[in-house]
Amino acid sequence: DAGVTQSPTHLIKTRGQHVTLRCSPISGHKSVSWYQQVLGQGPQFIFQYYEKEERGRGNFPDRFSARQFPNYSSELNVNALLLGDSALYLCASSWTLGQPQHFGDGTRLSIL
Amino acid sequence: QQQVKQSPQSLIVQKGGISIINCAYENTAFDYFPWYQQFPGKGPALLIAIRPDVSEKKEGRFTISFNKSAKQFSLHIMDSQPGDSATYFCAARAGGSEKLVFGKGTKLTVNP
């Protein structure tokens, strides 16, 4: 069975640009969460969506937004990119609330 | 504010030895404590998890020990193998929330 899939795997952008990252959860999973992992640190929670509704938001600026589609896939959008946004962006899915989260391999975003 | 403190930052163990990684938390609302294993270029993979109603959970060579009164939990890897060389993250989640709070990680190296 396919795990959590994320695209693209790598992305290079310049400051001020906008980026969209995509995530397909494990089949049957309805909850999707997004995390940011800076090099050498643990993942930091950004958003969580369940049944297309935002259920949690971490301490990130309004430049970060996300949504979940009827097929439970999700997009993370980041506007006005800053150098500090360079990180590995991870998507995790679980079949419902309160269940273990399984991560994809992430999108490596580099800001020049 | 770091809610989950993980130590050591790095650990070197000989093949066949026991690897021990410790975590401490502050938030008494946490009720789910997973451990993740991350290889370079990959996302975190769920290894084992525990809830505070038990003091120990074992899965193969991996054991979680949990001390609710001390607000500490640890991962023990028995018979450590070179293939176990990776970064390990402890995490915690409060009831009713999907947000995982991660430690900063421990880089484990198992020498052959």
Side-chain angles (χ1 to χ4, degrees):
Chain A
D1 289 341
V4 177
T5 57
Q6 293 187 243
S7 63
T9 55
H10 295 87
L11 202 51
I12 299 175
K13 292 285 189 178
T14 58
R15 284 178 296 174
Q17 285 189 311
H18 161 270
V19 69
T20 298
L21 310 181
R22 295 176 174 83
C23 171
S24 292
I26 294 171
S27 178
H29 284 197
K30 299 180 179 180
S31 176
V32 169
S33 298
W34 287 95
Y35 291 81
Q36 180 196 64
Q37 186 177 23
V38 174
L39 195 63
Q41 300 291 318
Q44 295 286 321
F45 174 78
I46 309 175
F47 286 110
Q48 188 253 335
Y49 278 78
Y50 178 71
E51 291 284 11
K52 302 180 289 296
E53 290 190 4
E54 181 183 306
R55 296 293 296 262
R57 175 185 285 253
N59 188 24
F60 280 81
D62 292 344
R63 299 185 295 108
F64 288 76
S65 63
R67 55 179 175 168
Q68 186 178 33
F69 298 97
N71 66 353
Y72 302 110
S73 67
S74 179
E75 282 182 355
L76 175 69
N77 294 282
V78 188
N79 293 323
L81 288 167
L82 303 174
L83 291 178
D85 295 332
S86 294
L88 179 68
Y89 287 85
L90 295 162
C91 175
S93 75
S94 58
W95 74 274
T96 189
L97 299 176
Q99 295 301 306
Q101 295 181 26
H102 300 273
F103 285 82
D105 287 338
T107 294
R108 172 71 62 186
L109 176 64
S110 299
I111 311 301
L112 302 180
Chain B
Q1 180 187 5
Q2 185 184 356
Q3 295 191 55
V4 178
K5 294 184 178 181
Q6 183 172 347
S7 63
Q9 188 175 6
S10 62
L11 181 62
I12 299 175
V13 174
Q14 292 300 118
K15 179 182 175 181
I18 302 173
S19 303
I20 302 174
I21 304 171
N22 301 300
C23 285
Y25 64 96
E26 300 167 357
N27 188 348
T28 56
F30 288 151
D31 68 353
Y32 172 72
F33 302 88
W35 284 88
Y36 284 86
Q37 177 191 57
Q38 187 174 29
F39 292 103
K42 296 292 187 180
L46 181 62
L47 202 56
I48 187 173
I50 197 168
R51 294 191 183 274
D53 52 342
V54 296
S55 61
E56 186 175 282
K57 183 176 182 180
K58 182 177 181 180
E59 290 185 2
R61 296 185 294 110
F62 301 92
T63 299
I64 299 179
S65 296
F66 187 85
N67 186 328
K68 187 175 182 179
S69 61
K71 292 187 286 186
Q72 295 175 346
F73 58 109
S74 60
L75 176 69
H76 295 232
I77 306 175
M78 311 300 288
D79 187 27
S80 298
Q81 299 296 313
D84 296 330
S85 297
T87 300
Y88 292 81
F89 293 95
C90 62
R93 186 178 70 192
S97 170
E98 295 300 297
K99 173 185 176 181
L100 286 171
V101 179
F102 284 83
K104 290 189 173 183
T106 296
K107 184 176 181 180
L108 172 66
T109 301
V110 181
N111 289 327

